[in-house]
Amino acid sequence: MTEAGRPEFGPDQLDALVDDLLALLGPRGVSTLDRALDRASRDGSGMSPILSAQHPLGRPDAVCYPKSAEQVPAIVRAAVRHGVPITARGKGTGNYGQVVPRFGGLVMDMTSLGEVTAITGTTVTAQAGARMIALEQAAWDAGKQLWMYPSTVQSTLGGFLAGGSAGTGTIVHGRNHMGFVESLDVVFAHEDAEIVRLEGAAAQPMVHTYGVAGIIVAATVRIEPLQDWRCLYASFDSHREAFPAAFRAARIEPKPRLLSADCATIVDALPADPALVRGRANVRGIIDAAALDETVAVLEAAGGRIEAVRSGLAQTARLSTLSYNHPTWWLQKAVPDTYFHMECQGDSLVTRLQEVEEVYEGGMLHLEVGHETMFGMINGIYRDPGQVFAGVPALEALGVRVHSPHQSYVDLDADRVKAIARDTDPKGLLNPGRWQQ
């Protein structure tokens, strides 16, 4: 290994790997064309001006496209045999550069493995490349719903489990490493690699590890009885009224599946919709019909005006795409090269809202109701990295926990994940460069 964990490989090893992949997958199953390599180098890290300044974060030397789960261990065996790093990739919708191959090598595009294979009364099973909206549709068709799915509903199951953490359903069920996964089919970076089934507690350590300890090929995740959901939109004169109203509405039973709020400036940047009234703050949520009247009463008592109540899977999916990082994305699109964001957690986001927003120049909070606490994105005008990180102690002093979206390292119990990877990836070939130096 070279400095910073870079695997030692060169053109000869790479050429030999490509030859093996051509024999295994055929000419359409592997590419070294610039357009394919460029596509496999992109993700959502452009939302970070700090990461953007480091572009390119990495670029593969080859991309392959398995068409069956059985091909994945053969691909991994070939990469291990030639000592070439391998990075698994879904839709590439993550925001932190997790799937950009920092040291080159092979990217394995998993999006063709998109089959939903089984559904029971409590679980749904699908291949890693299946889109989360397809799983949710399958669940609804069976009178069920996923425990959770990410705000980018077109992201893949494998991508959400490897690099995501929260989304629609998190208010009740927490993050995706908190019991969502019943089992995983994974491939380790061994010379005799095969698909390994991990169940129950054995599967949980592989979640949110960016693929550094194993490549997810398929997963079985939790579902539950379908609730009668309503998509509720309310507008307010100010987010100083809207955010406390959302804080109170979050405590109504049955709990919301999603509840988000924004100030007028961010609302103005969101896609046009009569329910998103320009110049007014907004609270929007996926509300159980049994809680609708009480939620409306709470919002109206706080000065809210109900703008729309909608129903159906398409509406819940659309509202989901206006949560978590997405409002920041729309803000950055409306006002380019201006804003950065930091992920924040804690009830102080509401109880000390003005102080929180004053930490950064032009501070604006996008609020999410999280699992047992408030969650959000604090947006500020970007000047330089020092200014961004200097705000962290000030936020922490207000009782706000901070996670930086300006890094691409394993950040959930990294020492534990590294210990697992010593056994599952002894040559350090799985998505290398993800350990903070």
Side-chain angles (χ1 to χ4, degrees):
M1 303 291 288
T2 59
E3 186 179 359
R6 183 186 183 100
E8 296 181 5
F9 73 103
D12 291 344
Q13 290 92 339
L14 184 67
D15 289 345
L17 173 60
V18 170
D19 287 343
D20 285 355
L21 295 178
L22 286 169
L24 175 67
L25 304 174
R28 294 187 178 183
V30 60
S31 180
T32 57
L33 296 176
D34 282 341
R35 63 176 178 270
L37 304 184
D38 290 342
R39 189 180 304 114
S41 303
R42 294 193 293 264
D43 71 349
S45 57
M47 287 183 66
S48 164
I50 295 174
L51 292 178
S52 293
Q54 302 172 33
H55 283 177
L57 296 172
R59 189 171 190 263
D61 299 288
V63 184
C64 70
Y65 309 90
K67 299 296 183 182
S68 71
E70 292 71 27
Q71 290 176 335
V72 174
I75 293 168
V76 172
R77 288 195 297 268
V80 172
R81 184 164 59 249
H82 297 294
V84 176
I86 181 170
T87 302
R89 176 184 175 90
K91 293 289 289 182
T93 57
N95 301 314
Y96 315 132
Q98 303 105 311
V99 296
V100 176
R102 181 178 173 191
F103 299 139
L106 177 68
V107 162
M108 181 162 53
D109 186 316
M110 305 290 283
T111 53
S112 292
L113 303 181
E115 186 178 356
V116 179
T117 57
I119 189 164
T120 72
T122 58
T123 64
V124 59
T125 301
Q127 294 178 314
R131 299 184 184 191
M132 295 302 297
I133 190 61
L135 273 73
E136 179 73 345
Q137 179 69 70
W140 276 52
D141 290 346
K144 306 290 181 178
Q145 64 193 28
L146 288 173
W147 266 25
M148 68 188 71
Y149 60 84
S151 55
T152 306
V153 297
Q154 295 293 344
S155 65
T156 63
L157 175 60
F160 179 50
L161 297 181
S165 61
T168 299
T170 281
I171 293 173
V172 173
H173 293 296
R175 295 176 179 256
N176 62 3
H177 66 281
M178 298 169 65
F180 179 49
V181 176
E182 181 174 275
S183 68
L184 293 174
D185 289 353
V186 299
V187 175
F188 301 137
H190 295 160
E191 294 180 356
D192 57 352
E194 296 290 352
I195 296 174
V196 176
R197 171 69 55 86
L198 301 174
E199 297 182 341
Q204 306 310 311
M206 304 301 296
V207 179
H208 199 72
T209 59
Y210 298 177
V212 301
I215 294 173
I216 297 172
V217 177
T220 298
V221 296
R222 303 285 183 180
I223 58 176
E224 61 190 352
L226 178 63
Q227 293 168 253
D228 186 10
W229 296 116
R230 298 292 185 270
C231 296
L232 175 65
Y233 295 76
S235 69
F236 290 77
D237 289 338
S238 167
H239 68 298
R240 309 283 183 206
E241 301 170 345
F243 285 17
F247 188 77
R248 290 190 289 274
R251 287 155 174 73
I252 298 172
E253 296 286 350
K255 289 189 179 297
R257 202 173 189 204
L258 184 76
L259 195 59
S260 311
D262 283 299
C263 67
T265 301
I266 294 179
V267 171
D268 289 352
L270 297 178
D273 185 322
L276 300 170
V277 181
R278 297 313 189 225
R280 290 177 63 81
N282 182 268
V283 173
R284 53 196 179 274
I286 303 175
I287 309 298
D288 191 296
L292 183 62
D293 289 345
E294 186 177 356
T295 303
V296 167
V298 166
L299 298 181
E300 288 182 336
R305 186 176 76 201
I306 305 305
E307 302 293 349
V309 179
R310 300 165 178 168
S311 61
L313 176 58
Q315 292 296 332
T316 59
R318 183 182 187 280
L319 199 150
S320 296
T321 65
L322 301 176
S323 64
Y324 287 86
N325 282 314
H326 287 249
T328 291
W329 186 88
W330 285 105
L331 177 65
Q332 292 181 346
K333 184 177 180 180
V335 191
D337 303 320
T338 302
Y339 289 99
F340 74 96
H341 72 295
M342 294 289 268
E343 297 179 355
C344 302
Q345 188 177 14
D347 289 351
S348 295
L349 296 175
V350 175
T351 61
R352 306 183 73 172
L353 173 59
Q354 183 171 340
E355 295 170 274
V356 168
E357 292 192 320
E358 288 175 350
V359 167
Y360 291 118
E361 178 185 355
M364 292 182 290
L365 182 70
H366 162 73
L367 183 70
E368 290 289 335
V369 174
H371 181 63
E372 299 180 346
T373 189
M374 296 296 108
F375 184 83
M377 314 290 168
I378 179 70
N379 301 276
I381 296 174
Y382 181 68
R383 300 301 179 189
D384 56 62
Q387 162 239 6
V388 172
F389 296 117
V392 173
L395 289 168
E396 292 176 340
L398 295 172
V400 174
R401 297 183 294 280
V402 182
H403 174 261
S404 171
H406 308 291
Q407 50 80 29
S408 59
Y409 303 113
V410 173
D411 58 355
L412 179 65
D413 205 358
D415 290 340
R416 174 187 58 80
V417 177
K418 186 177 289 187
I420 295 170
R422 291 191 190 103
D423 292 327
T424 61
D425 179 26
K427 294 185 178 180
L429 298 177
L430 292 179
N431 199 10
R434 300 299 165 213
W435 306 113
Q436 190 165 12
Q437 302 302 311

